[in-house]
Amino acid sequence: MTDQATAERDYFSDPSVLKDPYDYFEEMFSKGPVHQLQSRDIVMVTGYDEALEVLRNTQDFSSAICVVGAAYPLPFEPRGDDVSEQIKAHRHEIPGSDLLVTYDQPQHPASRSLLNRLFAPSRLKAMEGYMSGLADKLLQDAVARGGCELVKEIAVPYVTYVVADLLGVPAADRDLFRAALDQSAPPGNMNDSEKPTEFSALEYMAGFFVRYVHERRAAPGNDVLSEFATAKYPDGSTPDAMELVRLSTFLFGAGQDTTAKLLGNSMRYIIDTPGLQQQLRTNRALIPAFIEEVLRLEGSSKVTFRVARKKTRVLDTEIPAGKRVVVALAAANRDPRRWEEPKAFKLDRPKIREHLAFGRGAHTCIGAPLARAEVRIMLDRLLEHTSDIGFSEAYHGKPGNRRLDYEPSFIIRGLAQLHLELKAA
Ligand code: HEM
C-alpha cells in the first residue's frame, strides 16, 4: 500500500504540478531517469539520454497516443511482447489518431514529406516581412494604450495569421479562423484529464480546407494552396484530399498554443531576469540565443507521449509492450548530467540547440524554424516600439508576490494571461 506521506503527486491533475512542473520532474528524476509512476500504469522518462533514446526509437515506440496523452487508457488490453498488431487494429479508436504527430511508419514519412515545401527555408525567409508588419500592426494599438494582455490579444492572433499566411489562406477567411481558435481550449486540459481533447475549432477549419483542396485541384493557380493541394507522395502517388485537409488544419493546432505560450514565457524571463531587458535592447542579435535558453528552461511543450509497441529497453530499464510512456521534454532539458547548473539562465550555453523542446527524431517539430522566427520577430518589434516593458501590477501583483496563472494543460507550459505595461519608445 502506498504511504500517503510519500505518495507521488499525480502529474495529470495535481494543481501544484501545474504551477511548478520542474519541482515535480526533479522529484521524479531523483527516483530514476526512467520511472514507473506509483499512481498510474505509466512510465515517466526524465533523463536527457533516455528521452532521446525513446524519441529516436520508432521501431519499438509508437506515437499513436501522442495527442490524447498517456493518462487516457488504451482501447485494448495489451497481450504478449509485441502489440504492434493491436495498435494497428485499434488505432482509429484513439482520439487524435488522424493527426500527423500520431502516425507511425510507413504513413508518417510519406505524409510529413507533403509539408516539406511549406517549411522550406527560402519560404520562411520570404514570410519575415509579413510577420514583422503584422507584429507592428498588433503592437501599435497596445503601445498607444500603454499596455496589453500579451497572450490572447497579441500572441494568439499573431500566430494564427502567420500559419494562415504559411498555407496561403485567403485574407477574407483568416478572421473566421482566428475567431474559432479563440474559443477552443488548449490540448491536454488538466480539468478533464480522463477525456480526449476536443478538436471543434480544427473541424470548423477543416470545412474551409476541404473547399480549398477541391477547388485548387480542379483549377490549380500559382498560389501556395495550389502547390499544397497538388503535392504528391515521394512515390509519385496522389494523397487523398482529406489527408491534406488533416495536415493543414493540424498545423493550426500544433503551431498555435505552443508558439503563443513561448512568447509569454519569453516575456516573463525578459521582465524577471535582472538586467536582461536592457541587455537585449542594447544587442538584439542576442534574441535567438535568448529564445533557445527559454526553450530549454521553459519550453511550451512539457511532455510528449509514446506507447511501447514491443517489449524493449530504455538504456537499463525494461519496458513491457503496451506500456504508456511520458517523455518529459522539460525534465530532459534540465537533466543535471547534460546541463551544467541546469536551473540557471545563461545566454552562452554551448550546444544549446540540443535541447529537446521541439522533440527529436522522425517527429521532430517541423514548425520549429517558423516558431523561432515568429518569436524572434515579435520580441524584436516589442523592444523596438517600447522603452520599457513591465508586468501590470494590477493583474500580477508586486515583485516577490506575483500572481501568475498557467494554462491548465498537462502538455502545454505557458501563462494563461500576461498583462503588460508598455512604455512607448
Ligand atoms: C514554440 C513552439 C513549438 C513547440 C514548443 C513545438 C513542439 C513540438 C514537439 C515537441 C513536437 C514533437 C512531438 C513528438 O515527437 O511527439 C512537435 C511536432 C510538430 N510540430 Fe511543433 N512546436 C512548436 C511550434 C510549431 C509550429 C509553429 C508548427 C507549424 C506551424 C508546428 C508543427 C508541428 C508538427 C506538424 C509536428 C508533427 C511533426 C511530425 O509528427 O512529424 N509546431 N512540435
Side-chain angles (χ1 to χ4, degrees):
M1 217 172 85
T2 308
D3 175 3
Q4 283 307 306
T6 58
E8 282 174 6
R9 291 177 283 163
D10 181 40
Y11 175 69
F12 295 91
S13 61
D14 193 310
S16 73
V17 176
L18 175 68
K19 200 162 177 223
D20 187 353
Y22 309 107
D23 174 61
Y24 168 84
F25 287 139
E26 210 176 320
E27 207 174 299
M28 293 305 112
F29 182 78
S30 73
K31 299 178 182 209
V34 182
H35 171 62
Q36 167 64 56
L37 298 182
Q38 275 174 10
S39 57
R40 296 181 188 251
D41 185 20
I42 293 171
V43 159
M44 182 169 276
V45 178
T46 51
Y48 180 87
D49 289 341
E50 293 79 2
L52 256 187
E53 174 141 333
V54 176
L55 294 174
R56 283 178 171 153
N57 184 355
T58 50
Q59 288 303 313
D60 294 346
F61 291 99
S62 159
S63 288
I65 62 165
C66 190
V67 165
V68 74
Y72 193 64
L74 293 174
F76 59 88
E77 199 54 54
R79 284 191 309 267
D81 288 343
D82 186 342
V83 298
S84 305
E85 287 306 315
Q86 285 184 286
I87 293 176
K88 214 161 149 189
H90 293 274
R91 182 176 279 278
H92 64 283
E93 295 164 45
I94 304 175
S97 63
D98 55 349
L99 302 174
L100 175 70
V101 76
T102 68
Y103 291 0
D104 292 321
Q105 293 266 12
Q107 185 62 45
H108 174 253
S111 288
R112 185 173 164 121
S113 76
L114 299 172
L115 295 177
N116 283 345
R117 294 276 281 279
L118 286 177
F119 290 96
S122 57
R123 173 144 172 67
L124 296 184
K125 191 83 199 143
M127 286 176 64
E128 291 200 358
Y130 173 78
M131 290 190 241
S132 186
L134 178 61
D136 284 343
K137 205 165 115 194
L138 289 163
L139 289 173
Q140 259 155 16
D141 184 43
V143 174
R145 279 185 282 125
C148 65
E149 191 289 293
L150 184 74
V151 181
K152 293 206 170 74
E153 276 177 37
I154 306 285
V156 170
Y158 175 64
V159 299
T160 305
Y161 284 120
V162 170
V163 176
D165 190 59
L166 177 83
L167 283 155
V169 170
D173 294 343
R174 294 184 186 183
D175 289 339
L176 298 172
F177 281 31
R178 181 196 156 181
L181 280 166
D182 268 358
Q183 290 164 17
S184 63
N189 195 337
M190 282 179 103
N191 297 333
D192 214 352
S193 70
E194 296 296 330
K195 287 198 185 149
T197 314
E198 290 179 17
F199 298 105
S200 55
L202 298 186
E203 276 165 23
Y204 172 81
M205 290 190 294
F208 286 80
F209 279 95
V210 170
R211 180 161 57 79
Y212 299 151
V213 171
H214 285 297
E215 281 174 2
R216 297 319 193 267
R217 280 191 166 179
N222 234 346
D223 57 348
V224 180
L225 270 176
S226 296
E227 196 177 303
F228 181 60
T230 54
K232 301 254 194 256
Y233 283 131
D235 68 2
S237 61
T238 301
D240 181 66
M242 281 314 289
E243 178 58 8
L244 293 177
V245 172
R246 284 190 289 270
L247 286 174
S248 48
T249 49
F250 179 55
L251 291 183
F252 283 93
Q256 201 234 7
D257 267 309
T258 44
T259 313
K261 295 297 191 280
L262 179 64
L263 194 57
N265 296 353
S266 304
M267 192 45 70
R268 190 182 69 70
Y269 273 93
I270 290 182
I271 300 173
D272 266 352
T273 315
L276 181 61
Q277 184 169 164
Q278 203 43 52
Q279 195 182 6
L280 294 179
R281 284 187 183 284
T282 314
N283 184 3
R284 291 206 223 141
L286 291 173
I287 293 176
F290 161 73
I291 293 171
E292 296 309 314
E293 181 66 342
V294 176
L295 279 161
R296 185 190 70 81
L297 269 172
E298 199 154 357
S300 38
S301 292
K302 290 182 275 198
V303 297
T304 188
F305 305 101
R306 297 289 187 267
V307 54
R309 194 201 297 281
K310 296 175 190 158
K311 178 176 158 187
T312 183
R313 302 190 72 79
V314 178
L315 298 184
D316 300 334
T317 312
E318 193 173 292
I319 310 281
K323 179 71 83 178
R324 288 164 290 158
V325 178
V326 178
V327 185
L329 306 170
N333 284 340
R334 292 175 179 229
D335 180 341
R337 300 169 304 173
R338 170 63 185 79
W339 308 97
E340 220 172 84
E341 292 185 82
K343 293 188 213 171
F345 179 90
K346 294 184 184 186
L347 275 181
D348 55 356
R349 280 189 188 274
K351 300 192 182 165
I352 177 64
R353 283 167 77 108
E354 289 183 3
H355 63 66
L356 299 183
F358 290 116
R360 192 66 71 81
H363 287 273
T364 196
C365 179
I366 199 166
L370 179 65
R372 287 180 163 120
E374 284 177 288
V375 175
R376 169 173 55 77
I377 289 169
M378 179 55 90
L379 291 179
D380 179 77
R381 301 323 291 159
L382 262 162
L383 294 173
E384 173 74 21
H385 286 284
T386 58
S387 59
D388 187 56
I389 303 172
F391 286 122
S392 160
E393 293 192 350
Y395 285 97
H396 297 299
K398 294 197 181 303
N401 192 24
R402 291 270 190 238
R403 293 185 303 272
L404 294 170
D405 291 328
Y406 284 87
E407 201 67 72
S409 164
F410 52 78
I411 299 175
I412 297 287
R413 170 66 173 176
L415 294 164
Q417 298 183 341
L418 180 52
H419 293 270
L420 297 177
E421 284 176 6
L422 304 172
K423 213 177 267 172

